[in-house]
Amino acid sequence: MENKITIVSPGDQSIVAKRTLATNSEIKETIKSTQQAQSIWREMSVEKRAEYCLQATDWFMQNQDEVATEISLLMGRPIQSAAGEIRGLQERALHMINLAETALKDIAMPTKSGFKRFIRPTALGTVLVIAPWNYPYLTAINSLIPALMAGNCVILKHSAQTLLCAERFAQAFKSAGLPTGVFQFLHMNHHQTLELVRHPVINYVCFTGSVEAGRAIEKSAAGLFKGISLELGGKDAAYVREDANMANAVENLVDGAFYNSGQSCCGVERIYVHQALYDDFVKAFVAMANELVLGNPLDKNTTLGPMVNVKAADVARQQIREAKKQGAVCHIEEGNFIINGQFTHQAKIVDKNIARQAHSNYLPPQVLTNVTHEMRIMTEETFAPVVGVMKVDDDDHALSLINDSDFGLTASLWSQDQEACLMLGDKIETGTVYMNRCDYLDPALAWVGLKDSGRGCSLSKLAYSQLTRPKSFHFKKV
């Protein structure tokens, strides 16, 4: 079995780092260490846990330039937006830390003579966090901080593409002086990960990734009666109503569709536009998409970086080709997008024609019209800078199309009529409904998915209810 992992940068295919998979003895030692730390951490006050977590968060802010550059090297996000992930990490961490004291308080029962009754949220033990590469810090922090604040120990398994992020978390918690065994990471392959999922020391699993991998994790834990939270992606829709602010909708939906090269589980992949606005919307949307700068992620002028690998880009190309054969119209000329500049990491000039090569991970943005739900481009997750735009007659027409999906993560409504959006939102089958914004996680709100987008909850006060178990105290005075 291959025990080496080589991290290749999507930007220039250079080798960023090499790592070795954890050995069986290292995994056993990690398990032993987390068992030894559980009682110490569980019995520590919420205030003391908060001190450690705040110091770890401060470490990321103090090192955000270095960490942001590393994000660009590891997964190809343009450097001008990479630092935003560290600011987002801070926002979510601080919110969940500040929320913990209230969320973890004893729940008192109505007074009953001769009795003392309450419910105490109690730590589960050890939480396994399995994080993806596309938002390597944000997806991890969603589960990591509330798990720790709830009194659980954490073992982090990060994507092979972003292993260094797990090591950064370890640096941050070490700098905070976190007790040994409370936070640990393991570099593991799929088999090792599934074995750890089954291990009795793991009391809860927080997973973000593909539907296929989510099913494998559920199957691995079947019959073990342990909790699992799954965030599995989406095919998120937007509906531009007749009364929408056109400029606001176009600007935000271009960002929602193409940010992070479309590699966002809540990125906008399909847009439904009222017939009265359709032609003007498509014209303005295509014009703004053409302003994106595709190139080296370390170049400060780049606004659209490469996809994580060639395989992912080729999947999107195949969906586009199929849609065109079925009658879809492509509005972006790939020749408009060439990659210029010098790679600062390896100091080599990029081929200007690389964007047009058949097997490049540099994929120009694409906007398709004349699309239908008979096309994979409108039903299967693309996870690329590609979006389909359809004309709709009215709210009912849009609603039927939005709900015609195996996924149910988010949907966005673009309108001036809040009451109409509330009525629509109640009928939309997603975990989150936005109005006049998209592709954003508010840490005060529960992050949940329906259908193949998964189950469970991260962020908000509700996250603490699944990272703890209720323990009832029923005392009678004699």
Side-chain angles (χ1 to χ4, degrees):
M1 180 177 65
E2 178 61 48
N3 68 339
K4 301 289 185 182
I5 298 176
T6 300
I7 303 173
V8 177
S9 176
D12 61 1
Q13 305 303 304
S14 62
I15 295 176
V16 180
K18 293 183 178 181
R19 292 294 185 268
T20 303
L21 291 175
T23 63
N24 289 337
S25 61
E26 287 171 335
I27 294 173
K28 288 179 181 178
E29 185 59 36
T30 298
I31 290 169
K32 180 181 178 181
S33 184
T34 195
Q35 288 174 311
Q36 293 172 341
Q38 281 180 0
S39 61
I40 298 171
W41 187 246
R42 182 179 62 247
E43 294 166 10
M44 191 177 291
S45 69
V46 174
E47 293 77 14
K48 186 62 178 176
R49 292 177 210 150
E51 289 180 18
Y52 288 116
C53 291
L54 286 170
Q55 289 180 47
T57 303
D58 287 343
W59 183 92
F60 278 103
M61 298 309 297
Q62 293 162 9
N63 295 276
Q64 63 176 319
D65 291 342
E66 180 183 354
V67 175
T69 300
E70 191 171 82
I71 290 173
S72 295
L73 286 172
L74 291 173
M75 51 77 61
R77 184 178 306 141
I79 190 66
Q80 64 168 261
S81 56
E85 179 153 357
I86 307 307
R87 294 190 294 271
L89 177 152
Q90 181 191 44
E91 177 191 25
R92 297 180 192 183
L94 293 181
H95 183 85
M96 297 308 293
I97 292 168
N98 293 333
L99 195 61
E101 187 174 358
T102 301
L104 298 171
K105 275 186 177 179
D106 290 346
I107 304 169
M109 297 295 105
T111 301
K112 186 176 181 180
S113 179
F115 291 89
K116 181 179 180 64
R117 303 175 303 157
F118 63 94
I119 301 169
R120 174 163 292 167
T122 304
L124 299 173
T126 295
V127 175
L128 173 61
V129 177
I130 305 173
W133 54 265
N134 61 327
Y135 287 92
Y137 290 105
L138 288 180
T139 51
I141 208 71
N142 288 350
S143 303
L144 202 158
I145 288 294
L148 289 172
M149 288 301 302
N152 300 296
C153 294
V154 170
I155 297 174
L156 173 63
K157 187 275 176 192
H158 225 299
S159 164
Q161 186 67 36
T162 45
L163 295 181
L164 302 189
C165 299
E167 297 174 13
R168 293 295 190 183
F169 274 116
Q171 284 181 267
F173 283 114
K174 183 178 181 181
S175 75
L178 192 73
T180 301
V182 175
F183 171 84
Q184 300 173 93
F185 69 88
L186 286 168
H187 297 330
M188 299 183 292
N189 60 26
H190 297 316
H191 175 75
Q192 290 174 312
T193 303
L194 294 178
E195 284 294 313
L196 187 56
V197 166
R198 285 190 283 268
H199 197 284
V201 78
I202 301 300
N203 305 103
Y204 196 87
V205 179
C206 297
F207 171 76
T208 304
S210 69
V211 175
E212 181 183 0
R215 289 194 177 109
I217 287 171
E218 278 207 323
K219 183 177 180 181
S220 183
L224 300 179
F225 312 118
K226 60 179 68 180
I228 299 177
S229 174
L230 302 169
E231 186 195 327
L232 307 179
K235 189 71 178 177
D236 290 10
Y239 170 37
V240 182
R241 298 184 77 240
E242 186 176 9
D243 66 336
N245 180 311
M246 174 77 79
N248 177 68
V250 169
E251 179 182 1
N252 283 277
L253 285 173
V254 167
D255 184 65
F258 301 126
Y259 185 82
N260 208 38
S261 298
Q263 299 168 127
S264 307
C265 55
C266 60
V268 177
E269 295 198 6
R270 50 196 178 113
I271 302 174
Y272 306 103
V273 184
H274 191 279
Q275 56 186 345
L277 301 181
Y278 179 80
D279 291 338
D280 291 338
F281 177 89
V282 171
K283 182 179 179 181
F285 190 92
V286 170
M288 188 165 287
N290 270 309
E291 294 176 5
L292 293 168
V293 179
L294 177 67
N296 171 13
L298 295 178
D299 186 329
K300 293 181 179 180
N301 295 315
T302 295
T303 56
L304 184 69
M307 292 188 65
V308 68
N309 55 46
V310 172
K311 180 181 178 181
D314 283 346
V315 167
R317 289 188 179 99
Q318 180 60 28
Q319 286 191 10
I320 293 170
R321 284 195 295 267
E322 286 182 10
K324 287 177 68 176
K325 287 181 180 179
Q326 292 172 284
V329 176
C330 293
H331 289 262
I332 302 289
E333 290 290 335
E334 290 192 7
N336 293 343
F337 291 87
I338 58 176
I339 303 172
N340 297 304
Q342 192 172 37
F343 276 91
T344 57
H345 185 53
Q346 273 199 332
K348 68 177 183 181
I349 301 297
V350 185
D351 181 355
K352 291 185 177 182
N353 295 314
I354 195 171
R356 294 192 289 273
Q357 291 177 5
H359 298 290
S360 165
N361 63 325
Y362 279 87
L363 185 69
Q366 188 54 267
V367 182
L368 296 98
T369 59
N370 202 33
V371 289
T372 72
H373 277 221
E374 302 301 314
M375 301 174 183
R376 288 199 303 147
I377 203 79
M378 295 298 285
T379 58
E380 295 185 10
E381 188 170 32
T382 306
F383 221 62
V386 180
V387 65
V389 185
M390 282 184 70
K391 183 189 298 184
V392 295
D393 301 328
D394 51 29
D395 288 356
D396 289 339
H397 188 194
L399 179 65
S400 67
L401 292 169
I402 290 171
N403 286 342
D404 181 28
S405 175
D406 291 333
F407 296 95
L409 191 57
T410 81
S412 59
L413 305 173
W414 304 82
S415 169
Q416 306 290 347
D417 190 337
Q418 190 172 100
E419 288 303 314
C421 288
L422 282 170
M423 291 177 64
L424 273 171
D426 274 337
K427 299 174 184 177
I428 290 174
E429 298 167 355
T430 59
T432 298
V433 179
Y434 299 103
M435 175 179 164
N436 296 329
R437 79 176 312 174
C438 60
D439 193 23
Y440 173 78
L441 276 69
D442 183 337
L445 297 175
W447 188 243
V448 296
L450 305 180
K451 306 177 186 177
D452 282 354
S453 288
R455 61 182 175 85
C457 166
S458 63
L459 300 178
S460 82
K461 182 179 179 179
L462 297 179
Y464 283 105
S465 65
Q466 69 178 23
L467 291 165
T468 56
R469 60 180 176 86
K471 186 173 185 177
S472 295
F473 288 79
H474 191 167
F475 289 6
K476 180 181 179 179
K477 297 178 183 177
V478 178

